[in-house]
Amino acid sequence: MPIYESVMQEKPPIVLDIGTAYTKLGFTAEASPRKIMPTEVVLTTTGIRKRLFDYDTTEELHDQLVDFLQTIFFKHLLVSPKERKFVVVENVFGPTVLRETLARVLFLHFDVSSVLFVPVHLIALSTLAVPTAVVVDIGYSETSVMPVYSGVQIMSAFKDQSYGGSAIHAEIRRQLLEAGIKDDLLTESVLEDIKVRTCFVTTFERSQARIKDQAPPTPPPGVDYIVSDHDAVIHVPGTLRETVYEIMFEPSNERDSLPHLILRSILDCTLDMRRALVESVLLVGGGSMVQGLQSRLRDEMQHLLAEDSFYANRFHGQLQFKFFNPIGKQNFTAWLGGALCGATDLIQTRSLAKETYLKSEHVPDWSNLCDNRPTGS
Ligand SMILES: Nc1ncnc2c1ncn2[C@@H]1O[C@H](COP(=O)(O)OP(=O)(O)OP(=O)(O)O)[C@@H](O)[C@H]1O
Ligand SMILES: [Mg+2]
């Protein structure tokens, strides 16, 4: 029987992208996740709601994962996980304990038939069906940059920094507290709502004018934000709306702002890869959906190439940064890649099967030498 027929006859595999802030869940070969839900768990023992990745011991993480996945299967997807195949989108540099515990829960508690772990950057790029790009994932806890060349991740050029959604929330909170807003109004969900509805990335010219000029440019109009739970109104100043995202662009001696991160990552690749990478940048992750980010990044990086001697001496020829248009929304691009991958025969050939897992109760890892020795050595 041809392999695609056997794939089609089976129950569709489940695709999970468990992010720090949001989990995307659904089935393979579908165009969007069935649900995007906060990565929070209501503990069956105490009824307390907490973030999934707030844990002290591995056992605590295990129990939280059981409760969390139980909600996913029986409340949102309404399917039994038993004997089902899974695709899990993971961070290549994520903690080993997470994938090991997730595998333990899936195989031993839920009795699933196989799990295919796919790396977030590579799988996000697969949605475009192109082999080469610098993939920038702006999530909640961090921003990471991974160049992919001819379908291979350049691990040595991986870069990450702590600015993501949570850092922006902290900056909004700081500015609002300075403006005299009461702390108890500023919950995570209010901060997120203010960020998504009112804030944007300003232009390169205006940011330069703000840094260099004595007289800063006229700020955009402020907005009144209604907090319905508390019957209160927060005035969001125009300056805040325009400046909170500047933490991603702040110049520093370490060259760790977002434009520098991307440029340094490309520089860590060999000379012949650089032009192709400059001309193919892909922004993914919910944080990249903010207005104005792409054009600001392009202008900043183009400016650095021309004006910063560190880069001018290392990049050669006329280079023009180009960005891919993502397919679907950026916050679930990686999930979509997983859903596409799960609909191919990779799920048969590359998955970790239950029988294999049960032999050693260990998930093979690219960074573990024991898993990567040529056979026989
Ligand atoms: N339209 C938008 N504009 C700005 N920010 C947005 C928008 N939509 C989502 N976000 C932000 O994106 C972040 C979530 O992105 P994403 O789902 O990629 O993170 P995650 O996968 O949970 O986190 P991580 O990848 O760090 O584990 C949140 O901080 C959210 O506020
Ligand atoms: Mg993510």
Side-chain angles (χ1 to χ4, degrees):
M1 183 168 42
I3 203 153
Y4 64 86
E5 279 185 19
S6 65
V7 172
M8 296 308 287
Q9 281 165 9
E10 282 179 4
K11 298 181 269 188
I14 292 175
V15 186
L16 295 176
D17 176 2
I18 308 179
T20 327
Y22 288 100
T23 295
K24 301 88 185 166
L25 47 116
F27 295 101
T28 55
E30 294 191 349
S32 57
R34 290 281 176 101
K35 191 164 176 73
I36 298 179
M37 58 182 267
T39 309
E40 288 174 352
V41 58
V42 180
L43 300 176
T44 41
T45 44
T46 55
I48 293 173
R49 172 179 288 271
K50 64 185 289 200
R51 283 186 179 269
L52 177 66
F53 298 126
D54 279 352
Y55 63 91
D56 293 325
T57 61
T58 315
E59 277 321 300
E60 197 180 343
L61 174 64
H62 177 277
D63 295 349
Q64 289 177 190
L65 271 170
V66 169
D67 286 344
F68 182 67
L69 292 174
Q70 192 106 14
T71 318
I72 290 183
F73 302 141
F74 301 115
K75 190 168 167 202
H76 300 304
L77 294 179
L78 303 177
V79 292
S80 162
K82 197 167 161 49
E83 299 299 326
R84 212 173 254 272
K85 292 185 163 49
F86 276 73
V87 179
V88 176
V89 178
E90 63 160 3
N91 185 348
V92 255
F93 288 96
T96 310
V97 64
L98 270 187
R99 68 200 311 256
E100 290 282 356
T101 315
L102 182 61
R104 185 150 63 96
V105 171
L106 286 174
F107 284 119
L108 301 185
H109 189 91
F110 289 107
D111 201 17
V112 310
S113 78
S114 72
V115 181
L116 174 62
F117 287 98
V118 288
V120 56
H121 300 89
L122 189 64
I123 214 66
L125 183 60
S126 73
T127 56
L128 299 177
V130 294
T132 300
V134 187
V135 185
V136 183
D137 179 10
I138 308 178
Y140 178 78
S141 56
E142 61 169 23
T143 293
S144 55
V145 183
M146 174 75 89
V148 179
Y149 193 82
S150 289
V152 178
Q153 301 183 97
I154 316 294
M155 297 295 214
S156 56
F158 176 85
K159 301 262 178 285
D160 64 350
Q161 276 297 328
S162 59
Y163 37 73
S166 65
I168 305 290
H169 295 180
E171 178 62 13
I172 298 176
R173 171 192 286 278
R174 189 189 67 75
Q175 292 202 23
L176 286 178
L177 287 177
E178 256 179 34
I181 307 292
K182 282 200 224 120
D183 195 18
D184 57 346
L185 291 180
L186 304 177
T187 58
E188 261 305 280
S189 66
V190 167
L191 291 171
E192 176 165 26
D193 215 25
I194 291 178
K195 175 185 76 174
V196 174
R197 285 168 189 255
T198 71
C199 300
F200 59 93
V201 178
T202 193
T203 60
F204 178 58
E205 291 74 28
R206 281 181 68 91
S207 75
Q208 288 297 303
R210 197 172 283 282
I211 295 169
K212 289 181 189 156
D213 287 2
Q214 299 295 330
T218 326
V223 178
D224 283 338
Y225 178 85
I226 299 166
V227 190
S228 45
D229 292 355
H230 289 75
D231 229 357
V233 174
I234 296 176
H235 179 73
V236 183
T239 330
L240 180 152
R241 296 177 58 206
E242 188 180 16
T243 56
V244 282
Y245 274 94
E246 293 306 295
I247 56 169
M248 288 187 171
F249 297 94
E250 264 165 14
S252 81
N253 289 342
E254 276 79 45
R255 295 177 190 275
D256 53 10
S257 69
L258 184 54
H260 281 289
L261 213 61
I262 301 175
L263 285 169
R264 286 199 293 120
S265 178
I266 298 176
L267 267 185
D268 282 353
C269 301
T270 54
L271 262 176
D272 54 334
M273 296 179 187
R274 291 182 192 164
R275 177 176 290 275
L277 292 171
V278 163
E279 291 178 353
S280 8
V281 182
L282 173 64
L283 301 180
V284 297
S288 65
M289 290 163 76
V290 56
Q291 291 286 320
L293 180 70
Q294 187 169 311
S295 57
R296 172 71 183 278
L297 258 182
R298 183 188 292 119
D299 292 349
E300 286 262 355
M301 293 196 294
Q302 218 61 59
H303 173 79
L304 286 172
L305 273 193
E307 304 296 329
D308 188 327
S309 57
F310 179 81
Y311 298 113
N313 295 337
R314 289 169 172 80
F315 283 98
H316 305 289
Q318 282 291 320
L319 294 175
Q320 200 67 42
F321 281 92
K322 293 180 189 160
F323 290 74
F324 284 116
N325 280 334
I327 293 181
K329 298 267 183 234
Q330 287 102 315
N331 59 340
F332 65 79
T333 309
W335 180 92
L336 186 61
L340 288 173
C341 171
T344 66
D345 61 356
L346 283 175
I347 191 132
Q348 308 280 8
T349 53
R350 292 305 199 87
S351 293
L352 173 64
K354 183 166 68 186
E355 299 71 39
T356 320
Y357 177 79
L358 292 179
K359 277 184 202 153
S360 60
E361 295 197 6
H362 160 73
V363 185
D365 198 351
W366 65 271
S367 61
N368 189 341
L369 193 58
C370 297
D371 298 323
N372 295 299
R373 288 212 175 95
T375 36
S377 65

